[in-house]
Amino acid sequence: MTGLIQQATSLMASGVTVQFGGFKALTDISLTITSGAVHGLIGPNGAGKTTMVNVLTGFQASTSGRVTLGGRDVGGLPAHELRRQGIARTFQAGRLFAGLDVLDNLAVTGVGLGHSRRASEIEAFRVLESMGVAHLAERQAAGLPYTDERRIGIARALMFSPAFLLLDEPAAGMSEAEAEDLAQLIKRIAEDFGTGVLLIEHNVGLVLSVTSHVYVLDAGQMIEEGDRSVITSSQKVRDAYFGADQEAA
Ligand SMILES: Nc1ncnc2c1ncn2[C@@H]1O[C@H](COP(=O)(O)OP(=O)(O)O)[C@@H](O)[C@H]1O
Ligand SMILES: [Mg+2]
């Protein structure tokens, strides 16, 4: 890692708006991810969570607003360049290379980051071990059970210790116990390596158990943000989650 990345103590969006044709997926959204802490991003389906992650990681250009990394403007940089600068992510759907084994799925990322094949394989094994899934190293990605596939997606994002890690519903489809294990792992990553984490997760209780600060999106708007007590006592959050259901019922 370069000195620049280690100095990057925050990844910040300021006034980000994303418009698809006449539809605003995000309206004037500001949020900050700081090093060494887990931040939550919650909200109903279609709220704009994935779009926000896409903007922060260079997969989606914003219509207006700024993205800064350690105070430097990085808006408009392509995804692979932001990954080199220490911003890693996972995807809602696995997106592993089905034809490659697990170790190579990770090693490819290392090579993409400019490391040698050998160094990438060593790093891949280290990351798999740290996540307790080294036994999967030689398995074909295509045949992996769903929860293992999700873990490998996270392992791949952890290659060469990114400064920031954005996780798009990493526990989807996992059992309560598996999701809880994953949440503790995510917390450890932030605490042990100083990684700044943004956790998108459907299970609000899980998010509240591991995050210091939570952002709540609804229909592209930031309707609430704060710590556990702010979120649990927010009428706006209750309305966003239950209001629409009650109207539909
Ligand atoms: N590329 C796109 N083109 C048009 N609409 C999009 C595109 N990506 C997302 N959307 C729309 O933007 C809204 C937010 O989507 P998304 O960010 O995926 O929400 P979430 O992740 O919170 O479920 C949805 O209404 C979705 O249909
Ligand atoms: Mg999504």
Side-chain angles (χ1 to χ4, degrees):
M1 247 192 263
T2 70
L4 259 185
I5 292 171
Q6 273 148 6
Q7 286 161 24
T9 53
S10 68
L11 174 61
M12 194 183 299
S14 313
V16 164
T17 294
V18 172
Q19 199 148 349
F20 296 115
F23 172 74
K24 275 189 182 172
L26 293 173
T27 305
D28 195 20
I29 300 300
S30 299
L31 62 79
T32 303
I33 309 169
T34 49
S35 296
V38 183
H39 313 259
L41 180 59
I42 64 174
N45 271 336
K49 305 181 297 295
T50 296
T51 303
M52 190 67 236
V53 167
N54 288 344
V55 169
L56 289 166
T57 54
F59 286 82
Q60 170 69 52
S62 63
T63 309
S64 59
R66 273 158 53 89
V67 178
T68 56
L69 174 63
R72 288 176 303 120
D73 202 327
V74 293
L77 291 182
H80 68 268
E81 179 55 33
L82 288 178
R83 180 62 176 87
R84 278 174 180 249
Q85 296 197 20
I87 306 172
R89 69 170 299 177
T90 62
F91 295 90
Q92 261 182 293
R95 291 211 196 179
L96 298 181
F97 299 109
L100 299 182
D101 68 22
V102 164
L103 193 82
D104 280 347
N105 259 279
L106 270 63
V108 163
T109 290
V111 171
L113 287 169
H115 299 278
S116 70
R117 177 154 189 99
R118 173 102 184 106
S120 298
E121 286 176 358
I122 290 169
E123 171 70 357
F125 201 76
R126 183 194 70 77
V127 172
L128 291 172
E129 270 191 323
S130 75
M131 287 187 64
V133 289
H135 60 284
L136 299 176
E138 292 180 0
R139 291 274 298 275
Q140 285 286 116
L144 287 177
Y146 181 73
T147 56
D148 284 336
E149 185 187 311
R150 315 246 8 147
R151 288 194 187 97
I152 301 310
I154 297 167
R156 182 171 61 180
L158 285 172
M159 285 288 287
F160 293 101
S161 307
F164 295 95
L165 176 63
L166 287 68
L167 299 165
D168 198 351
E169 303 203 19
M174 291 189 176
S175 70
E176 280 277 317
E178 286 169 338
E180 182 55 36
D181 280 353
L182 183 66
Q184 293 310 320
L185 172 75
I186 291 165
K187 203 173 171 185
R188 270 206 321 277
I189 291 167
E191 287 170 356
D192 295 355
F193 305 111
T195 312
V197 178
L198 185 68
L199 173 63
I200 297 181
E201 174 51 50
H202 217 69
N203 183 335
V204 177
L206 194 79
V207 172
L208 292 173
S209 74
V210 292
T211 54
S212 50
H213 195 87
V214 177
Y215 295 97
V216 188
L217 284 177
D218 185 28
Q221 314 260 359
M222 189 74 80
I223 59 163
E224 195 67 89
E225 69 169 283
D227 64 12
R228 187 190 176 92
S229 62
V230 170
I231 303 304
T232 52
S233 63
S234 168
Q235 186 60 41
K236 285 181 193 162
V237 173
R238 270 197 291 277
D239 288 348
Y241 273 90
F242 304 116
D245 286 350
Q246 280 167 359
E247 277 161 32

